[in-house]
Amino acid sequence: MTLAETTRTMLLWCPDWPAFAAARAAGIPLDTPLALIDKGEVHACSSSARAEGVKRGLRLREAQSRCSSLEVLPFDPELDARSFDPIVEAIEERMPGVQLVRPGIAAVKASGPARYYGSEELAAESLLEHLDDLGVVGGRIGIADGPFAAEQAARRGSGRVSVVEADGSPAFLAPMPVSLLGMPQLAMLLRRLGLPTLGAFASLPETEVRDRFGAEGAAAHRLAAGLDGRRVIPRIPPDELDVEVHFEPPLDRVDQVTFGFRSAADRFIERLSGHRLVCTALRVEVTSETGELSARTWLHPRSFQASEVVDRVRWQLQGIGSIDSGLRSAVNRVRVVPHSVDETAHHEPGLWGGGPDAALHHGLSRVQSMLGHTAVATFAIGGGRLLADRQVLVPWGDREQTERPADRPWPGAISGLPPATVFPKRLPCTVLTPDGSAIAVDARGVLSGPPSRFAAPGSGRPQAVRSWAGPWPLDERWWDADAARMLNRFQIITADGDAWLVLLEGGDCFVEARYD
């Protein structure tokens, strides 16, 4: 291969894109030290966190010890890719034929934009200005022969636009380390052989490299020599199933925004129907005139209709501000994206209709649309050690997603059949020993005396205790001074046959539940 067979490439690199996308989605200021954690390690971090010594691969505790003000978020590859889609679309508005290398990096052939704008530099500057207007600041562009050299130019250039002259890629890449090839084992072996740079590796005969390192080593050798024969393969834009509405001037009331979005909701469902699809989960993005972004994914137990899409938009707006006083900031854009779709054939009604289930869903959804998203809820059982912690309210229409799954181990939880009545708030009660003193538990978990009399909540007359069991200590989150909790629980059956689950915390007795 000769240098003439390489493709002149213009490559856009958005530094720290995962951290930028996560901060923007979470509403965190971009200058805040931020780290994205994956499997207990730092996957990506912001420039301000890197200035404090945080870097990729650090364990979470080590990163927090280096930067006390570090904000921590989980790494979400779906958010990473989804947030970069509008950037790719913005590039396509100026320069068609975009290849998405990975979230944060996109490439185009440089020849076409250079002819249109007059030069490669002018084309790159025009694209960066367009991205700056969209709020994506700090982007860098490298132009060279082949995607590999163009990416290194973007990352290592002194300015926002770095241009490597035609046929200059071998000299440009020569002093760079072999670790840039992305093959750690090969790079380690080359350093042991005294070939620490790309230029030293490229100086080896190609046939000998192929014989020693195989096809992968030969491909890396051509990259090091500036003979990157990979082409820029334009992506095929997917069918546009999302809908977007811009408001000019921006609107600051919930009813105005939802009314303006009704026709877009109809188009959204019609587009899906045209592709024989239904939407079972959608993402609503609301952008204010100040640049704030509110994004949330809404689930549906069946599939969305147009009116239900409008309800989700309204509920999300109600979460941003108040219906009476208006929103905190006027809204200038609402976008709805299908997050999960399915074939229409899987959601066809039965021969005789949906029956009582469909009528129930329609009635409760109607009440929910009038009273709000959280006004109608169903119960789910989550994880936890106290019974009240296991009660989870799921808004009607949402799928059950508990932060603390019930199938995980919960040491200290009460085993066996749970009580039928769990009080939403702990009710004070009285448990006395045979000598008439209040029951207590010492540091060794030993009762001050057996429970003899028990006064139920709201009852001033103690009853005799017929049977009891316990105590069972619970020492939860002892490492967190604010959330630490230490208590003891025991079961009591009174003379009239009532059974109670009692907990003792800080010298006070409370009823947690009753066995009916």
Side-chain angles (χ1 to χ4, degrees), residues 375-464:
V376 182
T378 57
F379 280 100
I381 298 178
R385 295 174 176 85
L386 297 180
L387 296 177
D389 296 340
R390 302 186 62 190
Q391 295 178 329
V392 180
L393 289 177
V394 181
W396 177 257
D398 286 5
R399 300 173 193 170
E400 179 182 337
Q401 289 184 323
T402 58
E403 296 181 357
R404 299 185 297 180
D407 57 354
R408 294 181 181 177
W410 294 100
I414 296 295
S415 59
L417 294 176
T421 302
V422 179
F423 301 106
K425 294 183 178 180
R426 299 184 298 184
L427 304 178
C429 64
T430 302
V431 181
L432 303 176
T433 59
D435 61 2
S437 61
I439 198 168
V441 179
D442 61 17
R444 295 180 177 271
V446 179
L447 289 174
S448 59
S452 175
R453 301 183 67 81
F454 171 76
S459 174
R461 183 174 59 87
Q463 298 186 32

Side-chain angles (χ1 to χ4, degrees), residues 6 78 124 232 269 279 319 336 496:
T6 59
E78 292 185 3
V232 175
I269 299 300
C279 181
V336 173
D496 57 4

Side-chain angles (χ1 to χ4, degrees), residues 39 83 86 181:
K39 299 179 180 179
S83 301
L181 294 173

Side-chain angles (χ1 to χ4, degrees), residues 267-475:
R267 294 199 308 272
F268 177 71
I269 299 300
E270 290 174 359
R271 289 181 183 178
L272 291 170
S273 300
H275 290 79
R276 300 180 182 274
L277 298 174
V278 295
C279 181
T280 58
L282 57 83
R283 179 177 177 83
V284 178
E285 298 177 357
V286 180
T287 306
S288 68
E289 61 179 349
T290 60
E292 293 178 296
L293 175 65
S294 170
R296 175 173 175 176
T297 300
W298 298 86
L299 306 178
H300 197 286
R302 294 174 178 84
S303 62
F304 283 100
Q305 302 298 323
S307 60
E308 295 171 326
V309 175
V310 175
D311 286 340
R312 269 56 176 188
V313 173
R314 181 173 69 252
W315 294 341
Q316 186 157 327
L317 292 170
Q318 290 172 350
I320 300 175
S322 170
I323 300 178
D324 298 329
S325 61
L327 301 172
R328 292 199 302 264
S329 181
V331 173
N332 62 2
R333 184 184 75 106
V334 176
R335 182 175 182 236
V336 173
V337 182
H339 188 269
S340 177
V341 296
D342 196 6
E343 295 183 7
T344 306
H346 298 162
H347 296 263
E348 292 291 347
L351 181 61
W352 308 110
D357 290 344
L360 176 64
H361 175 71
H362 177 76
L364 293 179
S365 298
R366 180 63 178 168
V367 174
Q368 189 180 40
S369 66
M370 293 186 293
L371 300 181
H373 178 234
T374 58
V376 182
T378 57
F379 280 100
I381 298 178
R385 295 174 176 85
L386 297 180
L387 296 177
D389 296 340
R390 302 186 62 190
Q391 295 178 329
V392 180
L393 289 177
V394 181
W396 177 257
D398 286 5
R399 300 173 193 170
E400 179 182 337
Q401 289 184 323
T402 58
E403 296 181 357
R404 299 185 297 180
D407 57 354
R408 294 181 181 177
W410 294 100
I414 296 295
S415 59
L417 294 176
T421 302
V422 179
F423 301 106
K425 294 183 178 180
R426 299 184 298 184
L427 304 178
C429 64
T430 302
V431 181
L432 303 176
T433 59
D435 61 2
S437 61
I439 198 168
V441 179
D442 61 17
R444 295 180 177 271
V446 179
L447 289 174
S448 59
S452 175
R453 301 183 67 81
F454 171 76
S459 174
R461 183 174 59 87
Q463 298 186 32
V465 175
R466 189 174 68 187
S467 179
W468 62 278
W472 300 291
L474 175 60
D475 190 1

Side-chain angles (χ1 to χ4, degrees), residues 103-261:
I105 298 180
V108 297
K109 293 181 180 180
S111 56
R115 287 193 302 267
Y116 182 81
Y117 290 96
S119 69
E120 295 174 341
E121 293 86 348
L122 293 176
E125 291 173 358
S126 175
L127 178 58
L128 290 177
E129 290 176 1
H130 184 47
L131 296 180
D132 290 342
D133 294 338
L134 297 177
V136 183
V137 297
R140 300 166 67 92
I141 290 180
I143 304 173
D145 297 329
F148 179 72
E151 181 176 351
Q152 305 312 318
R155 291 178 177 272
R156 295 173 173 266
S158 58
R160 296 191 67 185
V161 178
S162 301
V163 180
V164 179
E165 297 298 331
D167 299 338
S169 294
F172 170 73
L173 296 172
M176 297 183 183
V178 291
S179 58
L180 297 179
L181 294 173
M183 303 174 65
Q185 293 183 350
L186 176 62
M188 180 178 63
L189 179 57
L190 290 176
R191 286 193 294 267
R192 290 180 177 178
L193 294 175
L195 304 171
T197 64
L198 296 178
F201 181 40
S203 64
L204 298 178
E206 182 177 358
T207 55
E208 295 184 8
V209 171
R210 180 179 294 274
D211 293 340
R212 175 63 177 84
F213 300 108
E216 291 185 358
H221 180 263
R222 301 178 83 79
L223 293 181
L227 302 176
D228 188 359
R230 294 176 298 173
R231 306 296 183 184
V232 175
I233 303 175
R235 72 163 190 159
I236 300 176
D239 294 331
E240 294 294 339
L241 298 178
D242 58 317
V243 293
E244 186 173 330
V245 177
H246 292 267
F247 299 104
E248 186 60 39
L251 303 178
D252 60 354
R253 300 196 63 82
V254 173
D255 53 353
Q256 294 174 336
V257 177
T258 52
F259 182 80
F261 192 77

